[in-house]
Amino acid sequence: MSKQTLNAKTRTVTGKTAAKNLRKEGRIPAVVYNAKGEATSIDVDEVEFNKIWRTITPTTSIVLNIDGKENVALIKDVEYNIRNDKALHADFFVPDADQKLVMKIKVHFQGTPAGVLKGGFKKERNNQIKIKATIADLPETITADVSKINVSEALRVKDLVLGDKVEVLTDKELPLVTVSPAR
């Protein structure tokens, strides 16, 4: 999947009044943090930001184009007003290219277990694992096929295929999905 690009401008004026004026102009105040913890104040177009923010996962990297300079970033946090369905503020994180990030990622299950077709009951035990990878190697989603699980069997973390660049920090024997026999 091609990386989505978000254009941004650095801003010098900060504070409540400046943020309100930006929002009136259709822009969202934001902050970009780098690997050293240094912060840069920016603003992004509200429509452009919402198109990206509403369609990505927490591990999806985007290209943040700040005044013409491209950075690979993650959206770390969004302050959101549920009353008017608007983003108020966003935090971005731009790690070093070789920096390993520790992230929790949701596992999506697809298929019907063979054991369920034989009368068993599917039980999703865990649907989130912890991984460690560089920003370039972070998977956007993890999908696991559960169609081969029979009665009294389980899909475990060790059964996931993530590649050699992604290190799994969760216990390898942790069951994700089990199929129990009918009583």
Side-chain angles (χ1 to χ4, degrees):
M1 186 177 170
S2 64
K3 296 235 186 285
Q4 298 183 46
T5 303
L6 181 63
N7 295 311
K9 294 189 261 182
T10 53
R11 60 186 169 103
T12 53
V13 183
T14 58
K16 231 184 225 186
T17 308
K20 283 182 183 179
N21 290 336
L22 275 174
R23 288 185 198 107
K24 284 179 188 172
E25 296 171 12
R27 306 211 41 96
I28 299 171
V31 176
V32 177
Y33 296 96
N34 64 13
K36 298 174 189 131
E38 299 165 343
T40 305
S41 296
I42 62 168
D43 63 82
V44 295
D45 182 67
E46 182 179 15
V47 174
E48 201 177 317
F49 176 77
N50 281 325
K51 280 181 188 174
I52 293 173
W53 176 57
R54 295 179 190 271
T55 60
I56 63 171
T57 67
T59 56
T60 303
S61 57
I62 62 168
V63 176
L64 188 61
N65 189 351
I66 305 171
D67 296 330
K69 184 179 177 228
E70 291 188 352
N71 303 284
V72 180
L74 296 171
I75 298 176
K76 291 305 278 183
D77 191 32
V78 177
E79 186 181 337
Y80 182 77
N81 185 339
I82 59 171
R83 288 185 178 170
N84 61 10
D85 194 37
K86 291 192 179 224
L88 301 174
H89 186 274
D91 288 347
F92 296 93
F93 176 60
V94 178
D96 292 334
D98 60 342
Q99 180 181 356
K100 297 264 188 174
L101 304 172
V102 176
M103 305 283 288
K104 285 187 178 178
I105 187 167
K106 188 174 181 178
V107 180
H108 299 278
F109 305 112
Q110 79 179 31
T112 303
V116 170
L117 299 174
K118 296 174 185 171
F121 295 100
K122 174 183 162 188
K123 173 77 174 155
E124 289 186 16
R125 304 246 176 230
N126 298 291
N127 68 349
Q128 199 172 48
I129 62 169
K130 193 183 270 191
I131 60 171
K132 185 177 187 180
T134 62
I135 192 164
D137 298 325
L138 276 177
E140 285 186 38
T141 59
I142 297 174
T143 305
D145 182 22
V146 296
S147 60
K148 294 183 174 100
I149 303 173
N150 280 308
V151 176
S152 300
E153 291 181 352
L155 174 74
R156 300 187 183 280
V157 172
K158 67 181 179 185
D159 300 327
L160 297 175
V161 180
L162 301 175
D164 57 345
K165 294 183 179 181
V166 178
E167 180 185 345
V168 179
L169 302 177
T170 306
D171 179 21
K172 308 267 189 272
E173 292 298 322
L174 182 73
L176 299 171
V177 175
T178 58
V179 178
S180 56
R183 294 183 189 188

